[in-house]
DNA sequence: GCCGTTTTCGGCCCGACTGTTTTCAGTCG
């Protein structure tokens, strides 16, 4: 059983405990344990065999026993019992905004509501208002919430590029207000989480009312779900929620830290503050002694310093070990966009891309790159105008001519995104041997069983000419989960064969994800960050791939395309010779 | 359920907003 499966089981147990009205600290303990296991570099089953589970911070005897039970029997008996007590439909009820565990269980206990449809019916029949502590308002809240959930266009999380677009839009518009002294995007978008639920913005001003009125007047907002003096939540007409928090300029750094989160990171910071005799909130630090002294740090960095920590970049703020690393002075220096020297997976109009090689090269040079590799599709992918051998040769001649002109300011490497077919690659080895950068990927047979997919991937990775495994899981965010692939095995193969694993920067892929990439790096695999661009503008997606790498704790030395051209060429040569 | 150079028991992060309450619980982040 894999770490994420164990983590998932503990998470489910926490949800079940919440619904039964258990002490909320108990469910939190399960959630903390789940998160620790998910971020664990080692296999949980190995630790279990060695009897070392309780060495993990947040895992005591009770949870260790349950993990043992799960690993040996495949089930936790407590979870089994709770599932009999709690209908699965209550989890759907929980997804309704404004309905938490207490109300969900109350609906079930007193009205027998165990599904969204029953909840909707009860709200329409005005039955909810009869319950203690509820009135007519809860019924309209529930109905509005269910309507949003049932509308598939509106319930989706935003892809990073979409969230980024809106985040900049609202930020710029708020910045134009004369009373706004500071404004920033916070929340999961600032942490660059792979998909975004709500947009969070923080502004500093001495005139909160004026700024609040200004924000509420934005024409694309529909209803307001919260409307207080310092916090406003509006529903954008396309369905997502935008939260604005208004603070004074003095409070701004503390508020920015607070609203960037994550919630778990904040909890750790407040515990640290408490140890130093201060209460940390979005308003700053307040002494818990009689003095009630208030400290409002001038920057996020100053606040971290007050707590004895170096500045922690937003992408790391997930309570995945960054606090411990910071205290120990062992935070990594993260890769930055400026460290990227090239893009090794770009499509041109030779296959299904929209730009010529020359246009791509010039745009890449503008970005400050030293090199790019043009990796169009191979011949079997007819739908994408894959290259027959004849056209592949002409493309190579074209690229050679471009490079020979010497006025590009960048080196164009030949490349291919070769399809991993059943039992072979889409070109023979002698063809692949002539290509600078060979990217291999699965584009077919997504429904095949694990063993068969893995056999194909292994064959590709063991091929000495294959340099990179592209979008290793094949997932499309919000659309499909990937094909059946054992990433533990893929990482082992990557380490063994030296094949680089791609972080694909396309906002609907981001594949590898942050946790898998981190695991790969911990085990010593090489990562490459590519855009898979099909149009000129998409070269800019590199930002998102770099963000995933940062969330995976990657430094520039661990990223293939942070090498300069000479080192990259050496890497490519050495690979060929060792296989 | 976890955890301990203030504790092996009694804490466990903090605050805004809402709706239904005459002082607070539930939800959210």
């Amino acid at each position: 059983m894999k770490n994420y499966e164990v983590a998932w089981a503990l998470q489910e147990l926490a949800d079940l405990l919440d619904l039964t009205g258990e002490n909320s600290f108990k469910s939190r303990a399960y959630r903390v344990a789940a998160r620790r296991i998910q971020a664990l570099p080692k296999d949980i089953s190995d630790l279990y065999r060695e009897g070392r589970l309780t060495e993990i911070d947040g895992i005591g005897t009770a949870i260790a026993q349950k993990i043992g039970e799960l690993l040996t029997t495949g089930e936790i008996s407590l979870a089994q019992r709770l599932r009999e007590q709690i209908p699965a439909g209550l989890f759907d009820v929980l997804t309704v905004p404004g309905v938490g565990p207490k109300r969900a269980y109350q609906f079930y206990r007193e009205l027998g509501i165990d599904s969204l449809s029953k909840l909707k019916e009860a709200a329409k029949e005005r039955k909810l208002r009869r319950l203690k502590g509820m009135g007519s308002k809860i019924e309209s809240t529930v109905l509005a919430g269910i309507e949003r959930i049932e509308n598939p266009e509106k319930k989706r999380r935003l892809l990073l590029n979409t969230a980024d677009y809106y985040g900049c839009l609202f930020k710029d518009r708020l910045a134009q207000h004369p009373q706004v002294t500071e404004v920033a995007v916070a929340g999961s978008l600032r942490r660059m989480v792979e998909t975004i639920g709500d947009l969070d913005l923080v502004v500093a001003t001495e005139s909160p009312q004026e700024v609040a009125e200004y924000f509420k007047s934005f024409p694309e907002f529909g209803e307001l779900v919260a409307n207080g003096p310092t916090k406003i939540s509006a529903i954008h007409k396309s369905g997502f929620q935008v939260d604005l928090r208004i603070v004074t300029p003095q409070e701004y750094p503390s508020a920015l830290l607070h609203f960037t989160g994550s919630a778990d990171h904040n909890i750790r910071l407040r515990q640290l503050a408490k140890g130093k005799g201060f209460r940390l909130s979005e308003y700053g630090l307040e002494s818990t002694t009689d003095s009630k002294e208030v400290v409002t740090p001038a920057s996020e960095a100053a606040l971290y310093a007050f707590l004895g920590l170096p500045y922690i970049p937003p992408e790391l703020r997930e309570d995945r070990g960054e606090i411990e690393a910071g205290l120990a002075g062992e935070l990594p220096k993260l890769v930055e966009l400026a460290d990227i020297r090239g893009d090794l997976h770009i499509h041109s109009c030779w296959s299904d891309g929209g730009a010529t090689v020359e246009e791509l090269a010039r745009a890449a040079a503008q970005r400050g790159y030293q090199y790019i590799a043009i990796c169009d599709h191979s011949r079997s992918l007819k739908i994408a105008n894959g290259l027959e051998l004849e056209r592949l040769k002409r493309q190579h001649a074209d690229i050679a001519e471009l490079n020979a002109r010497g006025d590009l300011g960048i080196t164009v490497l030949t490349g291919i995104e070769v399809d991993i077919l059943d039992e072979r690659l889409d070109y023979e080895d002698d063809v692949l041997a002539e290509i600078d950068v060979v990217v291999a990927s699965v584009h077919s047979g997504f429904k095949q069983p694990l063993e068969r997919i893995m056999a194909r991937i292994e064959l590709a990775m063991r091929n000495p000419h294959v340099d990179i495994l592209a979008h290793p899981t094949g997932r499309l965010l919000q659309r499909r989960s990937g094909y059946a692939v054992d990433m533990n095995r893929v990482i082992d193969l990557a380490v063994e064969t030296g094949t680089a694993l791609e972080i694909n920067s396309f906002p609907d892929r981001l594949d590898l994800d942050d946790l898998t990439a981190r695991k790969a790096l911990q085990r010593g695999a090489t990562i490459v960050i590519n855009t898979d661009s099909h149009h000129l503008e998409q070269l800019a997606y590199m930002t998102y791939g770099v963000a995933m790498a940062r969330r995976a704790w990657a430094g520039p030395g661990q990223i293939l395309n942070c090498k300069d051209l000479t080192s990259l060429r050496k890497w490519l040569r050495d690979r060929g010779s060792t296989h």
Side-chain angles (χ1 to χ4, degrees), chain A residues 367-393:
Chain A
R367 297 182 61 81
Y369 293 165
Q370 280 190 345
Y371 52 83
I372 54 171
I374 301 296
C375 297
D376 277 307
H377 291 288
S378 61
R379 58 189 170 190
S380 286
L381 210 60
K382 306 253 188 262
I383 193 169
N385 195 21
L387 296 174
E388 292 293 343
L389 285 181
E390 167 59 23
R391 291 179 59 227
L392 183 66
K393 274 184 193 153

mmCIF file of all heavy atoms in Angstrom, chain A residues 367-393:
data_model
loop_
_atom_site.group_PDB
_atom_site.id
_atom_site.type_symbol
_atom_site.label_atom_id
_atom_site.label_comp_id
_atom_site.label_asym_id
_atom_site.label_seq_id
_atom_site.Cartn_x
_atom_site.Cartn_y
_atom_site.Cartn_z
ATOM 1 N N ARG A 367 13.237 35.577 -24.134
ATOM 2 C CA ARG A 367 13.067 35.177 -22.734
ATOM 3 C C ARG A 367 14.415 34.972 -22.042
ATOM 4 O O ARG A 367 14.454 34.622 -20.874
ATOM 5 C CB ARG A 367 12.241 33.885 -22.649
ATOM 6 C CG ARG A 367 10.818 34.017 -23.170
ATOM 7 C CD ARG A 367 10.040 32.713 -23.011
ATOM 8 N NE ARG A 367 9.921 32.305 -21.617
ATOM 9 C CZ ARG A 367 9.032 32.791 -20.766
ATOM 10 N NH1 ARG A 367 8.179 33.693 -21.161
ATOM 11 N NH2 ARG A 367 8.998 32.377 -19.521
ATOM 12 N N GLY A 368 15.464 35.124 -22.780
ATOM 13 C CA GLY A 368 16.786 34.998 -22.185
ATOM 14 C C GLY A 368 17.341 33.583 -22.202
ATOM 15 O O GLY A 368 18.325 33.285 -21.537
ATOM 16 N N TYR A 369 16.705 32.691 -22.969
ATOM 17 C CA TYR A 369 17.186 31.300 -23.021
ATOM 18 C C TYR A 369 18.435 31.185 -23.876
ATOM 19 O O TYR A 369 18.683 31.993 -24.763
ATOM 20 C CB TYR A 369 16.106 30.381 -23.616
ATOM 21 C CG TYR A 369 14.862 30.206 -22.758
ATOM 22 C CD1 TYR A 369 13.711 29.662 -23.311
ATOM 23 C CD2 TYR A 369 14.844 30.561 -21.412
ATOM 24 C CE1 TYR A 369 12.564 29.473 -22.553
ATOM 25 C CE2 TYR A 369 13.708 30.390 -20.647
ATOM 26 C CZ TYR A 369 12.563 29.851 -21.226
ATOM 27 O OH TYR A 369 11.435 29.674 -20.485
ATOM 28 N N GLN A 370 19.189 30.115 -23.602
ATOM 29 C CA GLN A 370 20.366 29.784 -24.423
ATOM 30 C C GLN A 370 20.014 28.772 -25.503
ATOM 31 O O GLN A 370 20.719 28.646 -26.483
ATOM 32 C CB GLN A 370 21.446 29.138 -23.552
ATOM 33 C CG GLN A 370 22.277 30.100 -22.739
ATOM 34 C CD GLN A 370 23.460 29.369 -22.110
ATOM 35 O OE1 GLN A 370 23.482 28.137 -22.054
ATOM 36 N NE2 GLN A 370 24.435 30.123 -21.660
ATOM 37 N N TYR A 371 18.983 28.006 -25.254
ATOM 38 C CA TYR A 371 18.662 26.911 -26.179
ATOM 39 C C TYR A 371 17.192 26.515 -26.066
ATOM 40 O O TYR A 371 16.536 26.790 -25.052
ATOM 41 C CB TYR A 371 19.531 25.671 -25.886
ATOM 42 C CG TYR A 371 19.501 25.232 -24.436
ATOM 43 C CD1 TYR A 371 18.466 24.421 -23.949
ATOM 44 C CD2 TYR A 371 20.499 25.627 -23.537
ATOM 45 C CE1 TYR A 371 18.435 24.022 -22.618
ATOM 46 C CE2 TYR A 371 20.472 25.232 -22.211
ATOM 47 C CZ TYR A 371 19.440 24.440 -21.755
ATOM 48 O OH TYR A 371 19.396 24.055 -20.445
ATOM 49 N N ILE A 372 16.691 25.902 -27.127
ATOM 50 C CA ILE A 372 15.395 25.215 -27.080
ATOM 51 C C ILE A 372 15.535 23.920 -27.875
ATOM 52 O O ILE A 372 16.437 23.786 -28.695
ATOM 53 C CB ILE A 372 14.233 26.041 -27.699
ATOM 54 C CG1 ILE A 372 14.576 26.472 -29.130
ATOM 55 C CG2 ILE A 372 13.893 27.237 -26.821
ATOM 56 C CD1 ILE A 372 13.409 27.090 -29.884
ATOM 57 N N ALA A 373 14.653 22.983 -27.596
ATOM 58 C CA ALA A 373 14.578 21.781 -28.431
ATOM 59 C C ALA A 373 13.176 21.736 -29.041
ATOM 60 O O ALA A 373 12.188 21.877 -28.329
ATOM 61 C CB ALA A 373 14.837 20.532 -27.598
ATOM 62 N N ILE A 374 13.144 21.591 -30.365
ATOM 63 C CA ILE A 374 11.858 21.482 -31.057
ATOM 64 C C ILE A 374 11.477 20.003 -31.070
ATOM 65 O O ILE A 374 12.121 19.193 -31.742
ATOM 66 C CB ILE A 374 11.966 22.026 -32.495
ATOM 67 C CG1 ILE A 374 12.397 23.499 -32.491
ATOM 68 C CG2 ILE A 374 10.637 21.842 -33.226
ATOM 69 C CD1 ILE A 374 11.410 24.438 -31.835
ATOM 70 N N CYS A 375 10.463 19.673 -30.292
ATOM 71 C CA CYS A 375 10.054 18.270 -30.162
ATOM 72 C C CYS A 375 8.647 18.085 -30.699
ATOM 73 O O CYS A 375 7.679 18.057 -29.935
ATOM 74 C CB CYS A 375 10.117 17.835 -28.702
ATOM 75 S SG CYS A 375 11.778 17.897 -28.004
ATOM 76 N N ASP A 376 8.553 17.959 -32.009
ATOM 77 C CA ASP A 376 7.235 17.734 -32.597
ATOM 78 C C ASP A 376 6.829 16.278 -32.432
ATOM 79 O O ASP A 376 7.614 15.439 -32.007
ATOM 80 C CB ASP A 376 7.254 18.160 -34.069
ATOM 81 C CG ASP A 376 7.038 19.659 -34.202
ATOM 82 O OD1 ASP A 376 6.042 20.150 -33.633
ATOM 83 O OD2 ASP A 376 7.865 20.339 -34.854
ATOM 84 N N HIS A 377 5.572 16.012 -32.786
ATOM 85 C CA HIS A 377 5.053 14.654 -32.601
ATOM 86 C C HIS A 377 5.619 13.684 -33.628
ATOM 87 O O HIS A 377 5.970 14.073 -34.745
ATOM 88 C CB HIS A 377 3.521 14.663 -32.703
ATOM 89 C CG HIS A 377 2.879 15.360 -31.542
ATOM 90 N ND1 HIS A 377 2.844 14.821 -30.286
ATOM 91 C CD2 HIS A 377 2.252 16.559 -31.458
ATOM 92 C CE1 HIS A 377 2.217 15.657 -29.465
ATOM 93 N NE2 HIS A 377 1.846 16.731 -30.153
ATOM 94 N N SER A 378 5.692 12.426 -33.221
ATOM 95 C CA SER A 378 6.213 11.396 -34.118
ATOM 96 C C SER A 378 5.101 10.874 -35.032
ATOM 97 O O SER A 378 3.928 11.196 -34.865
ATOM 98 C CB SER A 378 6.844 10.274 -33.298
ATOM 99 O OG SER A 378 5.882 9.668 -32.464
ATOM 100 N N ARG A 379 5.498 10.018 -35.954
ATOM 101 C CA ARG A 379 4.650 9.718 -37.122
ATOM 102 C C ARG A 379 3.308 9.072 -36.802
ATOM 103 O O ARG A 379 2.332 9.283 -37.518
ATOM 104 C CB ARG A 379 5.414 8.842 -38.107
ATOM 105 C CG ARG A 379 5.892 7.515 -37.497
ATOM 106 C CD ARG A 379 6.820 6.795 -38.458
ATOM 107 N NE ARG A 379 7.442 5.659 -37.784
ATOM 108 C CZ ARG A 379 8.441 4.952 -38.299
ATOM 109 N NH1 ARG A 379 8.932 5.249 -39.492
ATOM 110 N NH2 ARG A 379 8.949 3.944 -37.618
ATOM 111 N N SER A 380 3.213 8.296 -35.700
ATOM 112 C CA SER A 380 1.950 7.594 -35.432
ATOM 113 C C SER A 380 0.827 8.523 -35.002
ATOM 114 O O SER A 380 -0.350 8.196 -35.131
ATOM 115 C CB SER A 380 2.140 6.555 -34.326
ATOM 116 O OG SER A 380 2.852 5.467 -34.838
ATOM 117 N N LEU A 381 1.200 9.672 -34.469
ATOM 118 C CA LEU A 381 0.175 10.583 -33.972
ATOM 119 C C LEU A 381 -0.350 11.433 -35.134
ATOM 120 O O LEU A 381 -0.079 12.614 -35.267
ATOM 121 C CB LEU A 381 0.747 11.456 -32.842
ATOM 122 C CG LEU A 381 -0.277 11.891 -31.789
ATOM 123 C CD1 LEU A 381 -0.902 10.667 -31.101
ATOM 124 C CD2 LEU A 381 0.351 12.803 -30.758
ATOM 125 N N LYS A 382 -1.131 10.761 -35.970
ATOM 126 C CA LYS A 382 -1.594 11.377 -37.229
ATOM 127 C C LYS A 382 -2.456 12.605 -36.944
ATOM 128 O O LYS A 382 -2.420 13.596 -37.664
ATOM 129 C CB LYS A 382 -2.404 10.371 -38.039
ATOM 130 C CG LYS A 382 -1.673 9.062 -38.296
ATOM 131 C CD LYS A 382 -1.238 8.954 -39.742
ATOM 132 C CE LYS A 382 -0.686 7.571 -40.054
ATOM 133 N NZ LYS A 382 0.787 7.537 -40.012
ATOM 134 N N ILE A 383 -3.239 12.516 -35.865
ATOM 135 C CA ILE A 383 -4.161 13.594 -35.547
ATOM 136 C C ILE A 383 -3.410 14.895 -35.256
ATOM 137 O O ILE A 383 -3.941 15.988 -35.409
ATOM 138 C CB ILE A 383 -5.046 13.194 -34.343
ATOM 139 C CG1 ILE A 383 -6.217 14.166 -34.188
ATOM 140 C CG2 ILE A 383 -4.238 13.143 -33.051
ATOM 141 C CD1 ILE A 383 -7.256 13.680 -33.210
ATOM 142 N N ALA A 384 -2.143 14.752 -34.872
ATOM 143 C CA ALA A 384 -1.332 15.931 -34.564
ATOM 144 C C ALA A 384 -0.308 16.179 -35.678
ATOM 145 O O ALA A 384 0.686 16.875 -35.478
ATOM 146 C CB ALA A 384 -0.634 15.757 -33.221
ATOM 147 N N ASN A 385 -0.565 15.607 -36.847
ATOM 148 C CA ASN A 385 0.326 15.817 -37.990
ATOM 149 C C ASN A 385 1.751 15.342 -37.686
ATOM 150 O O ASN A 385 2.731 16.036 -37.966
ATOM 151 C CB ASN A 385 0.307 17.309 -38.392
ATOM 152 C CG ASN A 385 0.914 17.525 -39.766
ATOM 153 O OD1 ASN A 385 0.987 16.578 -40.580
ATOM 154 N ND2 ASN A 385 1.353 18.737 -40.025
ATOM 155 N N GLY A 386 1.831 14.171 -37.048
ATOM 156 C CA GLY A 386 3.137 13.609 -36.664
ATOM 157 C C GLY A 386 4.060 13.466 -37.866
ATOM 158 O O GLY A 386 3.625 13.283 -39.008
ATOM 159 N N LEU A 387 5.377 13.566 -37.599
ATOM 160 C CA LEU A 387 6.363 13.633 -38.673
ATOM 161 C C LEU A 387 6.762 12.255 -39.209
ATOM 162 O O LEU A 387 7.303 11.434 -38.465
ATOM 163 C CB LEU A 387 7.623 14.351 -38.182
ATOM 164 C CG LEU A 387 7.461 15.808 -37.779
ATOM 165 C CD1 LEU A 387 8.751 16.338 -37.165
ATOM 166 C CD2 LEU A 387 7.061 16.640 -38.978
ATOM 167 N N GLU A 388 6.544 12.050 -40.508
ATOM 168 C CA GLU A 388 7.127 10.899 -41.182
ATOM 169 C C GLU A 388 8.627 11.165 -41.298
ATOM 170 O O GLU A 388 9.078 12.310 -41.214
ATOM 171 C CB GLU A 388 6.527 10.732 -42.587
ATOM 172 C CG GLU A 388 5.052 10.328 -42.603
ATOM 173 C CD GLU A 388 4.799 8.921 -42.050
ATOM 174 O OE1 GLU A 388 5.778 8.133 -41.955
ATOM 175 O OE2 GLU A 388 3.645 8.629 -41.701
ATOM 176 N N LEU A 389 9.394 10.081 -41.531
ATOM 177 C CA LEU A 389 10.851 10.229 -41.556
ATOM 178 C C LEU A 389 11.327 11.303 -42.514
ATOM 179 O O LEU A 389 12.230 12.087 -42.201
ATOM 180 C CB LEU A 389 11.492 8.884 -41.916
ATOM 181 C CG LEU A 389 11.478 7.855 -40.785
ATOM 182 C CD1 LEU A 389 12.167 6.567 -41.227
ATOM 183 C CD2 LEU A 389 12.154 8.426 -39.543
ATOM 184 N N GLU A 390 10.698 11.340 -43.667
ATOM 185 C CA GLU A 390 11.092 12.306 -44.690
ATOM 186 C C GLU A 390 10.978 13.742 -44.174
ATOM 187 O O GLU A 390 11.890 14.562 -44.303
ATOM 188 C CB GLU A 390 10.207 12.078 -45.937
ATOM 189 C CG GLU A 390 10.243 13.166 -46.982
ATOM 190 C CD GLU A 390 11.652 13.409 -47.544
ATOM 191 O OE1 GLU A 390 12.493 12.489 -47.460
ATOM 192 O OE2 GLU A 390 11.907 14.532 -48.031
ATOM 193 N N ARG A 391 9.830 14.037 -43.524
ATOM 194 C CA ARG A 391 9.622 15.401 -43.003
ATOM 195 C C ARG A 391 10.526 15.660 -41.811
ATOM 196 O O ARG A 391 10.972 16.786 -41.590
ATOM 197 C CB ARG A 391 8.152 15.608 -42.642
ATOM 198 C CG ARG A 391 7.262 15.639 -43.892
ATOM 199 C CD ARG A 391 5.790 15.809 -43.541
ATOM 200 N NE ARG A 391 5.558 17.033 -42.800
ATOM 201 C CZ ARG A 391 4.829 17.115 -41.694
ATOM 202 N NH1 ARG A 391 4.275 16.026 -41.201
ATOM 203 N NH2 ARG A 391 4.657 18.267 -41.102
ATOM 204 N N LEU A 392 10.798 14.625 -41.031
ATOM 205 C CA LEU A 392 11.705 14.793 -39.897
ATOM 206 C C LEU A 392 13.080 15.244 -40.389
ATOM 207 O O LEU A 392 13.699 16.158 -39.846
ATOM 208 C CB LEU A 392 11.814 13.468 -39.122
ATOM 209 C CG LEU A 392 12.670 13.489 -37.859
ATOM 210 C CD1 LEU A 392 12.050 14.380 -36.795
ATOM 211 C CD2 LEU A 392 12.852 12.072 -37.309
ATOM 212 N N LYS A 393 13.546 14.610 -41.495
ATOM 213 C CA LYS A 393 14.852 14.972 -42.059
ATOM 214 C C LYS A 393 14.857 16.416 -42.547
ATOM 215 O O LYS A 393 15.804 17.161 -42.327
ATOM 216 C CB LYS A 393 15.190 14.036 -43.225
ATOM 217 C CG LYS A 393 15.851 12.757 -42.771
ATOM 218 C CD LYS A 393 16.265 11.913 -43.962
ATOM 219 C CE LYS A 393 16.637 10.515 -43.500
ATOM 220 N NZ LYS A 393 16.439 9.499 -44.548
#
